[in-house]
Coordinates of all heavy atoms in Angstrom, one line a residue:
Chain A
K38 N 115.7 218.3 117.5 CA 116.2 219.2 118.5 C 115.8 220.6 118.1 O 115.5 220.9 116.9 CB 117.7 219.2 118.4 CG 118.4 219.7 117.2 CD 119.8 219.8 117.3 CE 120.5 220.5 116.0 NZ 120.0 221.9 115.9
P39 N 115.6 221.5 119.0 CA 115.3 222.9 118.7 C 116.4 223.5 117.9 O 117.6 223.1 118.1 CB 115.2 223.6 120.1 CG 115.0 222.5 121.1 CD 115.7 221.3 120.5
A40 N 116.0 224.4 117.1 CA 117.0 225.0 116.2 C 118.2 225.7 116.9 O 119.3 225.8 116.3 CB 116.3 226.0 115.2
D41 N 117.9 226.1 118.1 CA 119.0 226.8 118.8 C 119.9 225.9 119.6 O 120.8 226.4 120.3 CB 118.4 228.0 119.6 CG 117.5 227.5 120.7 OD1 117.1 226.3 120.5 OD2 117.1 228.3 121.6
Q42 N 119.6 224.7 119.6 CA 120.4 223.7 120.4 C 121.5 223.0 119.4 O 121.2 222.8 118.3 CB 119.5 222.5 120.9 CG 118.6 222.9 122.0 CD 119.2 223.5 123.2 OE1 120.1 222.9 123.7 NE2 118.8 224.7 123.7
P43 N 122.7 223.0 120.0 CA 123.7 222.2 119.2 C 123.4 220.7 119.1 O 122.7 220.2 120.0 CB 125.0 222.5 120.0 CG 124.6 222.8 121.3 CD 123.2 223.4 121.2
V44 N 124.0 220.1 118.1 CA 123.9 218.6 118.1 C 124.7 218.0 119.2 O 125.6 218.6 119.7 CB 124.4 218.1 116.7 CG1 123.6 218.6 115.6 CG2 125.9 218.5 116.4
G130 N 141.7 221.4 109.1 CA 140.5 221.2 110.0 C 139.2 221.4 109.3 O 138.1 221.4 109.9
A131 N 139.2 221.5 108.0 CA 137.9 221.6 107.2 C 137.2 220.3 107.2 O 135.9 220.3 107.3 CB 138.2 222.1 105.8
M133 N 135.7 217.5 108.9 CA 135.3 217.4 110.3 C 134.2 216.3 110.5 O 133.4 216.0 109.6 CB 134.8 218.8 110.7 CG 133.7 219.2 109.8 SD 132.9 220.8 110.4 CE 131.5 220.1 111.2
R135 N 130.8 215.9 113.0 CA 130.1 216.5 114.0 C 129.9 215.7 115.3 O 130.1 214.4 115.2 CB 128.7 216.9 113.4 CG 128.7 218.0 112.4 CD 127.4 218.7 112.2 NE 126.2 217.8 112.4 CZ 125.0 218.3 112.3 NH1 124.7 219.6 112.1 NH2 124.0 217.6 112.5
A136 N 129.4 216.2 116.3 CA 129.2 215.4 117.5 C 128.3 214.3 117.3 O 128.4 213.2 117.9 CB 128.6 216.3 118.6
L141 N 131.5 215.9 107.6 CA 131.3 217.0 106.6 C 132.6 217.7 106.2 O 133.6 217.5 106.8 CB 130.3 218.1 107.3 CG 129.0 217.7 107.7 CD1 128.4 218.8 108.6 CD2 128.2 217.4 106.5
V142 N 132.5 218.6 105.1 CA 133.6 219.5 104.8 C 133.1 220.9 105.1 O 132.1 221.3 104.7 CB 133.9 219.4 103.3 CG1 135.1 220.3 103.0 CG2 134.1 218.0 102.8
D143 N 133.9 221.6 105.9 CA 133.7 222.9 106.2 C 134.4 223.8 105.0 O 135.6 224.1 105.1 CB 134.3 223.4 107.6 CG 133.9 224.8 107.9 OD1 133.4 225.6 107.0 OD2 134.1 225.2 109.1
K144 N 133.6 224.1 104.1 CA 134.2 224.8 102.9 C 134.7 226.1 103.2 O 135.4 226.7 102.3 CB 133.2 224.8 101.7 CG 132.7 223.4 101.3 CD 131.7 223.3 100.2 CE 131.2 221.9 99.9 NZ 129.9 221.8 100.7
H145 N 134.3 226.7 104.3 CA 134.8 228.0 104.6 C 136.4 228.0 104.7 O 137.1 229.0 104.6 CB 134.2 228.5 105.9 CG 132.7 228.7 105.8 ND1 131.9 227.9 106.6 CD2 131.9 229.4 105.0 CE1 130.7 228.1 106.2 NE2 130.6 229.1 105.3
I146 N 136.9 226.8 105.2 CA 138.3 226.8 105.5 C 139.0 225.7 104.6 O 140.2 225.5 104.7 CB 138.6 226.6 106.9 CG1 137.9 225.4 107.5 CG2 138.3 227.8 107.7 CD1 138.4 225.1 108.9
L169 N 130.4 227.8 90.1 CA 129.0 227.3 90.0 C 128.1 228.5 90.2 O 128.6 229.6 90.9 CB 128.8 226.3 91.1 CG 129.7 225.0 91.1 CD1 129.4 224.1 92.2 CD2 129.5 224.2 89.8
Q170 N 126.9 228.4 89.8 CA 125.9 229.5 90.0 C 124.7 228.8 90.5 O 124.4 227.6 90.1 CB 125.6 230.2 88.7 CG 126.0 231.7 88.8 CD 125.8 232.4 87.5 OE1 125.2 231.9 86.6 NE2 126.2 233.6 87.5
D171 N 123.8 229.5 91.1 CA 122.5 229.0 91.5 C 122.6 227.7 92.3 O 121.8 226.8 92.1 CB 121.6 228.9 90.3 CG 121.2 230.2 89.7 OD1 121.2 231.1 90.4 OD2 121.0 230.2 88.4
Q172 N 123.5 227.6 93.3 CA 123.5 226.5 94.1 C 122.2 226.5 95.0 O 121.6 227.5 95.0 CB 124.7 226.5 95.1 CG 126.0 226.5 94.4 CD 126.5 227.9 94.1 OE1 125.8 228.8 93.8 NE2 127.9 228.0 94.2
L173 N 121.9 225.3 95.5 CA 120.6 225.3 96.4 C 121.0 225.8 97.8 O 122.2 225.6 98.2 CB 120.1 223.9 96.4 CG 119.8 223.3 95.0 CD1 119.1 222.0 95.2 CD2 118.9 224.2 94.3
V174 N 120.1 226.4 98.5 CA 120.4 226.9 99.8 C 120.8 225.8 100.7 O 121.7 226.1 101.6 CB 119.1 227.7 100.4 CG1 119.2 227.9 101.8 CG2 119.0 229.0 99.7
A176 N 122.6 223.2 100.2 CA 123.8 222.7 99.9 C 124.8 223.6 99.2 O 125.0 223.5 98.1 CB 123.7 221.4 99.1
P177 N 125.4 224.5 100.0 CA 126.3 225.5 99.3 C 127.6 224.7 98.8 O 128.1 223.7 99.5 CB 126.8 226.3 100.5 CG 125.8 226.2 101.6 CD 125.3 224.8 101.4
R178 N 127.9 224.9 97.6 CA 129.1 224.2 97.0 C 129.8 225.1 96.0 O 129.1 225.9 95.4 CB 128.6 222.9 96.3 CG 127.4 223.1 95.5 CD 126.7 221.7 95.2 NE 127.5 220.9 94.5 CZ 127.5 220.7 93.2 NH1 126.7 221.4 92.4 NH2 128.4 219.9 92.6
G179 N 131.1 225.0 95.9 CA 131.8 225.9 95.0 C 133.2 225.6 94.6 O 133.8 224.6 95.2
K180 N 133.7 226.2 93.7 CA 135.0 226.0 93.0 C 136.1 225.9 94.1 O 136.1 226.7 95.0 CB 135.3 227.0 92.0 CG 136.6 226.8 91.2 CD 136.7 228.0 90.2 CE 138.0 227.9 89.5 NZ 138.2 229.0 88.6
T182 N 136.8 223.6 96.3 CA 136.6 222.9 97.6 C 136.1 221.4 97.3 O 135.6 221.1 96.2 CB 135.5 223.6 98.4 OG1 134.3 223.6 97.7 CG2 135.8 225.0 98.7
V190 N 122.2 216.6 106.0 CA 122.3 217.2 107.4 C 121.3 218.2 107.7 O 120.8 218.4 108.8 CB 123.8 217.8 107.6 CG1 124.0 218.9 106.7 CG2 124.0 218.1 109.0
H191 N 120.9 218.9 106.6 CA 119.8 220.0 106.8 C 118.5 219.4 107.2 O 117.7 219.9 108.0 CB 119.6 220.8 105.6 CG 119.4 220.0 104.3 ND1 120.5 219.2 103.6 CD2 118.3 219.7 103.6 CE1 119.9 218.7 102.6 NE2 118.6 218.9 102.6
D194 N 119.0 218.0 111.0 CA 118.9 219.1 111.9 C 117.5 219.5 112.2 O 117.1 220.0 113.2 CB 119.7 220.3 111.5 CG 121.2 220.1 111.8 OD1 121.6 219.2 112.6 OD2 122.0 220.8 111.3
Chain B
R67 N 127.8 231.3 111.0 CA 128.5 230.4 110.1 C 129.0 229.1 110.8 O 128.7 228.0 110.6 CB 129.6 231.1 109.2 CG 130.5 230.2 108.5 CD 131.7 230.9 108.0 NE 133.0 230.4 108.6 CZ 134.1 230.8 108.2 NH1 134.3 231.8 107.3 NH2 135.2 230.3 108.8
D68 N 129.9 229.5 111.8 CA 130.5 228.4 112.6 C 129.6 227.7 113.5 O 129.7 226.4 113.7 CB 131.7 229.0 113.4 CG 132.8 229.4 112.5 OD1 132.9 229.0 111.4 OD2 133.7 230.2 113.0
E69 N 128.6 228.4 114.1 CA 127.6 227.8 114.9 C 126.9 226.7 114.0 O 126.6 225.6 114.5 CB 126.6 228.8 115.4 CG 127.1 229.6 116.6 CD 127.3 228.8 117.8 OE1 126.2 228.2 118.3 OE2 128.4 228.6 118.3
T70 N 126.4 227.1 112.8 CA 125.6 226.3 112.0 C 126.5 225.1 111.5 O 126.1 223.9 111.5 CB 125.0 227.0 110.8 OG1 124.3 228.1 111.3 CG2 124.2 226.1 109.9
M71 N 127.6 225.4 110.9 CA 128.5 224.3 110.3 C 129.0 223.4 111.3 O 128.9 222.2 111.1 CB 129.7 225.1 109.7 CG 130.6 224.3 108.9 SD 130.0 223.7 107.3 CE 130.3 222.0 107.4
R72 N 129.4 223.8 112.4 CA 130.2 222.9 113.4 C 129.2 222.3 114.4 O 129.4 221.2 114.8 CB 131.2 223.6 114.0 CG 132.2 224.3 113.1 CD 133.6 223.8 113.2 NE 134.3 223.8 111.9 CZ 135.3 223.0 111.6 NH1 135.7 222.1 112.4 NH2 135.9 223.2 110.4
R73 N 128.2 223.1 114.8 CA 127.3 222.6 115.9 C 125.9 222.4 115.6 O 125.2 222.0 116.4 CB 127.4 223.6 117.1 CG 128.9 223.8 117.6 CD 129.0 225.0 118.6 NE 128.5 224.6 119.9 CZ 127.6 225.3 120.6 NH1 127.1 226.4 120.0 NH2 127.2 224.9 121.7
G74 N 125.6 222.6 114.3 CA 124.2 222.3 113.8 C 123.1 223.3 114.4 O 122.0 222.9 114.4
V75 N 123.6 224.5 114.8 CA 122.6 225.4 115.3 C 122.0 226.1 114.1 O 122.8 226.7 113.3 CB 123.3 226.5 116.2 CG1 122.3 227.6 116.6 CG2 123.7 225.8 117.6
R76 N 120.8 226.2 113.9 CA 120.1 226.7 112.7 C 119.1 227.8 113.0 O 117.9 227.7 112.4 CB 119.6 225.6 111.9 CG 120.7 224.7 111.3 CD 120.1 223.7 110.4 NE 121.2 222.8 109.9 CZ 121.8 222.9 108.7 NH1 121.4 223.8 108.0 NH2 122.7 222.0 108.4
T77 N 119.4 228.7 113.9 CA 118.5 229.8 114.1 C 118.5 230.7 112.9 O 119.5 230.8 112.2 CB 118.9 230.5 115.4 OG1 120.3 230.8 115.4 CG2 118.5 229.8 116.6
K78 N 117.4 231.5 112.7 CA 117.3 232.2 111.5 C 117.7 233.7 111.7 O 117.8 234.4 110.7 CB 115.8 232.2 111.0 CG 115.4 230.8 110.6 CD 114.1 230.9 109.8 CE 113.9 229.5 109.1 NZ 112.7 229.7 108.1
E83 N 121.0 233.0 104.7 CA 119.7 232.7 103.8 C 118.6 233.8 104.0 O 118.0 234.3 103.1 CB 119.1 231.3 104.1 CG 117.9 231.0 103.4 CD 117.3 229.7 103.8 OE1 117.8 229.0 104.7 OE2 116.1 229.4 103.3
N87 N 117.1 236.5 101.4 CA 115.6 236.5 101.1 C 115.0 237.9 101.3 O 114.1 238.2 100.6 CB 114.9 235.5 102.1 CG 115.1 234.1 101.7 OD1 115.7 233.8 100.6 ND2 114.7 233.1 102.6
P93 N 114.6 235.8 91.7 CA 114.9 235.8 90.3 C 113.5 235.8 89.5 O 112.7 235.1 89.9 CB 115.7 234.6 90.1 CG 116.0 234.0 91.4 CD 115.0 234.7 92.4
V98 N 117.6 238.6 86.7 CA 118.1 238.0 87.9 C 119.2 239.0 88.4 O 120.2 239.3 87.7 CB 118.8 236.6 87.5 CG1 119.3 236.0 88.8 CG2 117.7 235.7 86.8
R100 N 122.2 239.3 90.3 CA 123.4 238.4 90.9 C 124.3 239.3 91.7 O 124.4 240.5 91.5 CB 124.0 237.7 89.8 CG 123.2 236.7 89.1 CD 123.9 235.6 88.4 NE 123.1 234.7 87.6 CZ 122.5 233.7 88.0 NH1 122.5 233.4 89.3 NH2 121.7 233.0 87.3
D102 N 127.3 239.8 91.2 CA 128.3 240.6 90.5 C 127.7 241.9 89.9 O 128.4 242.7 89.2 CB 128.9 239.8 89.3 CG 127.8 239.3 88.4 OD1 126.7 239.6 88.6 OD2 128.1 238.4 87.5
D120 N 133.4 236.8 99.5 CA 133.7 235.4 99.1 C 132.6 234.4 99.3 O 132.7 233.3 98.9 CB 135.0 234.9 99.8 CG 135.6 233.7 99.2 OD1 135.4 233.5 98.0 OD2 136.3 232.9 99.9
F122 N 129.6 234.2 97.9 CA 128.8 233.7 96.8 C 129.6 232.8 95.8 O 129.0 232.4 94.8 CB 128.2 234.9 96.1 CG 127.3 235.7 97.0 CD1 127.7 237.0 97.3 CD2 126.3 235.1 97.7 CE1 126.9 237.7 98.2 CE2 125.5 235.8 98.6 CZ 125.8 237.2 98.8
S123 N 130.8 232.4 96.1 CA 131.4 231.4 95.3 C 130.8 230.0 95.6 O 130.8 229.1 94.8 CB 132.9 231.3 95.5 OG 133.2 231.3 96.8
C124 N 130.2 229.9 96.9 CA 129.6 228.7 97.3 C 128.1 228.9 97.6 O 127.2 228.0 97.3 CB 130.2 228.1 98.6 SG 131.8 227.3 98.2
H125 N 127.8 230.0 98.2 CA 126.4 230.3 98.6 C 125.6 230.9 97.5 O 126.1 231.6 96.7 CB 126.3 231.2 99.8 CG 126.7 230.6 101.0 ND1 125.9 229.8 101.8 CD2 127.9 230.5 101.8 CE1 126.4 229.3 102.9 NE2 127.7 229.8 102.9
R126 N 124.4 230.6 97.5 CA 123.4 231.2 96.5 C 123.3 232.7 96.8 O 123.1 233.1 97.9 CB 122.1 230.5 96.7 CG 121.1 230.6 95.6 CD 119.7 230.0 96.0 NE 118.8 230.4 95.0 CZ 118.6 229.7 93.9 NH1 119.2 228.7 93.6 NH2 117.7 230.2 93.0
D127 N 123.3 233.5 95.6 CA 123.2 234.9 95.8 C 121.8 235.5 95.6 O 121.6 236.7 95.7 CB 124.2 235.6 95.0 CG 124.0 235.2 93.5 OD1 123.2 234.4 93.2 OD2 124.9 235.6 92.7
T128 N 120.8 234.6 95.4 CA 119.5 235.0 95.2 C 118.5 234.1 96.0 O 118.9 233.0 96.3 CB 119.0 234.9 93.7 OG1 119.2 233.5 93.3 CG2 119.8 235.8 92.8
P129 N 117.3 234.6 96.3 CA 116.4 233.7 97.1 C 116.0 232.5 96.1 O 116.0 232.6 95.0 CB 115.2 234.6 97.4 CG 115.7 236.0 97.1 CD 116.8 235.9 96.1
M130 N 115.7 231.4 96.8 CA 115.2 230.3 96.1 C 113.8 230.7 95.5 O 113.1 231.6 96.1 CB 114.9 229.1 97.0 CG 116.2 228.5 97.5 SD 117.1 227.5 96.4 CE 116.1 225.9 96.3
E165 N 112.2 233.7 115.6 CA 112.5 232.4 116.1 C 111.8 231.3 115.3 O 111.5 230.2 115.8 CB 112.2 232.3 117.6 CG 113.0 233.2 118.4 CD 112.7 233.0 119.9 OE1 111.8 232.3 120.2 OE2 113.3 233.8 120.7
E166 N 111.4 231.7 114.1 CA 110.6 230.8 113.3 C 111.3 229.4 113.2 O 110.6 228.4 113.2 CB 110.4 231.4 111.9 CG 109.3 230.7 111.1 CD 109.2 231.2 109.7 OE1 110.3 231.4 109.1 OE2 108.2 231.3 109.2
G167 N 112.6 229.4 113.2 CA 113.3 228.1 113.0 C 113.1 227.2 114.3 O 113.5 226.1 114.2
L168 N 112.6 227.8 115.4 CA 112.4 226.9 116.5 C 111.1 226.1 116.5 O 110.9 225.3 117.4 CB 112.4 227.8 117.8 CG 113.5 228.8 118.0 CD1 113.4 229.4 119.3 CD2 114.9 228.0 117.9
Q169 N 110.3 226.3 115.5 CA 109.1 225.5 115.4 C 109.4 224.1 115.2 O 110.3 223.7 114.5 CB 108.2 226.0 114.3 CG 107.7 227.4 114.6 CD 107.0 228.0 113.3 OE1 107.1 227.5 112.3 NE2 106.5 229.2 113.5

Side-chain angles (χ1 to χ4, degrees):
Chain A
K38 71 169 185 67
D41 59 346
Q42 293 296 311
V44 296
M133 54 171 267
R135 294 204 320 179
L141 298 171
V142 182
D143 185 347
K144 299 182 188 86
H145 302 113
I146 54 174
L169 303 178
Q170 244 181 7
D171 292 334
Q172 300 91 327
L173 305 186
V174 163
R178 40 198 303 263
K180 182 179 175 180
T182 60
V190 65
H191 52 283
D194 282 345
Chain B
R67 165 193 119 172
D68 290 340
E69 282 292 298
T70 303
M71 182 74 229
R72 305 242 151 208
R73 299 170 78 235
V75 171
R76 291 183 184 261
T77 46
K78 292 196 169 189
E83 180 187 353
N87 284 351
V98 182
R100 293 198 188 280
D102 55 6
D120 198 22
F122 302 117
S123 52
C124 287
H125 284 278
R126 195 186 168 87
D127 52 5
T128 57
M130 293 284 282
E165 295 180 4
E166 196 187 35
L168 305 188
Q169 289 169 355

